[in-house]
Amino acid sequence: MIMKKIDIRNATRADIPFVAESVLAAIDLYDFTGECAELESTVKVCSEDDTLYSYKNARIAEVDGTAAGCLISYNGNGYAESREKTFAMFAEMGIHINIGGAETGPGEYYLDSMAVKPEYRGLQLGHLLMEDALNLARRSGDCLKAGLLVEKGKPRLKDYYARIGFSIEKEMEAFGSRFYKMTLVL
């Protein structure tokens, strides 16, 4: 078995296209191959410093120096303003998203979007990115809990989050789908 070097680091401006691809993959609009109508718009949103999907909110999992996975996460204290800007930018570009209720807020560290390229699945990159984000949350000092959404139609994912300590707080509608809002006390 060949050992692979795995590193997790902050995204840089050079990672913006990969961050955008990961955001779209997380919502099942992209599979890291071919064309995607929303990619150019999402790159613009990820290029900004103060949007939800900003590259500044992204951590990259590299395998042997190649970006293989990404997790967007952030402190919920600035969520309302970033949410407004994010979806206003999409609307200005002709992409209208039925966003639903607020996903997070003050006192919560939110794990927003995660994706791993198919050829790197099975290396536990998602788990490593989750552990990394939870460590960031604990170090932030002003978050009492971590939160995330999981689609109701993905029971294996819900069970995975439960195994690492998340519990269902409520059900909610967002982006036209039903979700469990799951939280973990930090």
Side-chain angles (χ1 to χ4, degrees):
M1 182 170 145
I2 298 172
M3 296 299 292
K4 300 199 178 284
K5 183 177 184 317
I6 298 172
D7 291 306
I8 297 181
R9 61 170 177 79
N10 290 328
T12 66
R13 284 200 157 276
D15 295 307
I16 290 170
F18 179 66
V19 172
E21 290 174 337
S22 297
V23 168
L24 292 168
I27 56 173
D28 299 323
L29 291 178
Y30 187 65
D31 64 0
F32 294 102
T33 63
E35 299 293 318
C36 178
E38 297 84 2
L39 187 56
E40 184 179 332
S41 300
T42 307
V43 165
K44 289 178 184 171
V45 170
C46 295
S47 297
E48 296 291 319
D49 290 351
D50 55 352
T51 62
L52 298 177
Y53 309 125
S54 171
Y55 73 97
K56 290 190 170 196
N57 293 334
R59 298 279 284 169
I60 305 292
E62 284 186 335
V63 176
D64 294 334
T66 300
C70 177
L71 174 61
I72 305 266
S73 62
Y74 44 82
N75 188 317
N77 290 345
Y79 173 76
E81 299 82 15
S82 292
R83 178 185 193 206
E84 185 176 321
K85 179 175 181 175
T86 300
F87 296 108
M89 283 184 71
F90 279 122
E92 288 169 11
M93 293 181 276
I95 300 171
H96 298 281
I97 301 168
N98 176 16
I99 54 178
E103 299 166 65
T104 190
E108 181 176 281
Y109 193 86
Y110 190 63
L111 308 165
D112 192 304
S113 302
M114 181 171 59
V116 175
K117 286 183 172 180
E119 63 267 32
Y120 293 101
R121 293 182 186 152
L123 298 176
Q124 297 193 337
L125 298 181
H127 184 75
L128 293 171
L129 284 164
M130 289 291 294
E131 282 183 347
D132 177 70
L134 293 174
N135 287 333
L136 289 173
R138 289 179 183 101
R139 289 194 305 263
S140 76
D142 61 346
C143 293
L144 304 174
K145 63 184 179 177
L148 53 81
L149 294 184
V150 62
E151 281 187 75
K152 286 187 74 173
K154 296 186 177 180
R156 287 180 55 203
L157 195 53
K158 177 187 70 74
D159 292 346
Y160 165 75
Y161 292 133
R163 280 194 307 277
I164 62 173
F166 283 86
S167 58
I168 296 173
E169 183 176 284
K170 64 182 177 181
E171 290 185 29
M172 64 181 288
E173 174 117 5
F175 308 106
S177 296
R178 298 292 302 167
F179 289 86
Y180 293 113
K181 168 68 187 253
M182 299 183 77
T183 56
L184 173 114
V185 175
L186 296 170

